[in-house]
């Protein structure tokens, strides 16, 4: 089955003028369904919106490889400076592998990854027996790279790459990526204080494992805590590991 892709860019607060930055001046803060103003925006996200491309950085007599000409300058810089080093950091990768091994129940667990990049952690989760992996990536070019890596490793039947900021997704988008019908079933209980029936959103079919590597050189400078808190509140099952 071909790797699935969802491009979900709803209208919302304007993006920061420079990728990899934050925007604290936007007053239209729709807390759900689009990016949060003030959150770090990863390089290459929302490609094509006031983003300088790598090819534009050079004079005409310099040859820029076609595969890089339309890529965001910030994205190329980030890949060269950080991504290449990270995927070759074997102690780091083994640490994540061991954490995933402890959390995943083979054949049963559904994993949500925020910021998949090259797709490495999503592939580790799939290799460890996850039933389904939803890999969220905001950069179109990185999302496409992840799909290619996943297909090259024969894991496209297990991993779905969703191209969006995680804050632009809701629980039904995650369900669709898992191959489930979007639904808002409720569990009916009793509100003992009011003596009336109470309904709660049905969340048990959402991912039960959450993984992310959003930590920058300044540790929390890429809004890791904010993105993960938002995901735990809205996109995963109760008691998610």
């Amino acid at each position: 089955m071909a790797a699935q892709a969802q491009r979900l860019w709803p209208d919302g607060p304007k993006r920061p003028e420079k990728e990899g930055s934050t925007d604290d001046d936007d007053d239209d803060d729709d807390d759900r369904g689009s990016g949060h103003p003030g959150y770090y925006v990863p390089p290459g996200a929302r490609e094509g919106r006031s983003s300088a491309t790598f090819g534009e950085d050079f004079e005409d007599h310099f040859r820029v490889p076609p595969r890089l000409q339309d890529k965001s300058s910030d994205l190329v810089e980030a890949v060269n400076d950080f991504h290449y080093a990270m995927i070759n950091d074997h102690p780091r990768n083994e640490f994540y592998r061991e954490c995933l091994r402890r959390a995943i129940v083979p054949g049963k667990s559904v994993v949500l990854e925020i910021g998949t990049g090259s797709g490495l952690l999503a592939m580790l989760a799939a290799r460890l027996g996850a039933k389904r992996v939803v890999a969220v990536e905001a950069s179109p070019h990185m999302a496409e790279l992840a799909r290619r890596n996943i297909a090259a490793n024969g894991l496209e039947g297990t991993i779905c790459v969703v191209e969006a900021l995680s804050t632009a997704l809701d629980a039904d988008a995650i369900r669709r990526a898992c191959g489930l019908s979007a639904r808002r079933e409720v569990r009916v209980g009793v509100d003992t204080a009011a003596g009336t029936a109470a309904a709660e959103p049905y969340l048990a079919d959402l991912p039960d494992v959450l993984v992310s590597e959003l930590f920058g050189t300044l540790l929390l400078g890429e809004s890791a805590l904010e993105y993960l808190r938002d995901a735990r509140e809205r996109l995963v099952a109760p008691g998610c590991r």
Side-chain angles (χ1 to χ4, degrees):
M1 181 174 63
Q4 300 178 58
Q6 298 180 23
R7 290 174 171 80
L8 304 172
W9 292 118
D11 292 335
K14 66 180 178 68
R15 66 185 297 280
E17 292 183 0
K18 177 177 174 55
E19 294 164 345
S21 64
T22 62
D23 184 352
D24 294 314
D25 299 326
D26 197 317
D27 294 328
D28 298 326
D29 185 357
D30 180 5
D31 284 343
R32 299 288 185 254
S34 63
H36 288 254
Y39 280 24
Y40 173 89
V41 178
R46 303 191 184 188
E47 201 67 51
R49 298 189 182 183
S50 301
S51 174
T53 61
F54 190 67
E56 295 172 346
D57 285 348
F58 297 89
E59 297 177 2
D60 292 341
H61 57 275
F62 287 97
R63 182 183 181 277
V64 178
R67 63 186 177 83
L68 297 177
Q69 290 176 1
D70 65 336
K71 306 302 187 293
S72 159
S73 295
D74 288 341
L75 177 62
V76 174
E77 180 180 347
V79 170
N80 285 339
D81 290 351
F82 304 111
H83 284 267
Y84 184 80
M86 286 193 299
I87 63 176
N88 286 281
D89 186 341
H90 298 294
R92 164 193 174 274
N93 298 339
E94 286 303 315
F95 171 83
Y96 272 96
R97 185 197 302 273
E98 178 59 19
C99 291
L100 286 167
R101 185 191 66 78
R102 296 182 184 186
I104 290 172
V105 178
K108 295 183 178 181
S109 289
V110 177
V111 178
L112 173 63
E113 184 190 2
I114 305 298
T116 195
S118 65
L120 178 62
L121 297 187
M123 290 188 286
L124 288 177
R127 293 288 191 196
L128 289 167
K131 178 181 179 181
R132 188 71 167 161
V133 181
V134 179
V136 178
E137 174 54 49
S139 164
H141 293 300
M142 291 303 296
E144 181 59 28
L145 176 62
R147 294 185 196 105
R148 292 183 183 183
N149 289 338
I150 290 163
N153 283 274
L155 297 172
E156 65 268 37
T158 301
I159 304 171
C160 174
V161 177
V162 179
E163 183 188 304
L165 284 167
S166 60
T167 50
L169 302 174
D170 60 15
D172 281 343
I174 301 300
R175 290 187 177 102
R176 286 191 292 269
C178 292
L180 302 174
S181 60
R183 60 186 185 272
R184 297 192 179 278
E185 297 182 7
V186 296
R187 182 176 63 245
V188 178
V190 177
D191 185 334
T192 55
T196 58
E200 298 180 0
Y202 182 78
L203 302 174
D205 58 350
L206 293 174
D208 58 296
V209 177
L210 174 63
V211 64
S212 183
E213 213 289 40
L214 295 177
F215 303 106
T217 53
L218 298 178
L219 188 60
L220 301 180
E222 297 184 8
S223 301
L225 295 182
E226 289 80 3
Y227 279 114
L228 292 175
R229 180 173 61 242
D230 176 74
R232 291 190 69 88
E233 289 176 352
R234 303 187 303 112
L235 305 179
V236 297
C240 176
R241 297 183 291 278

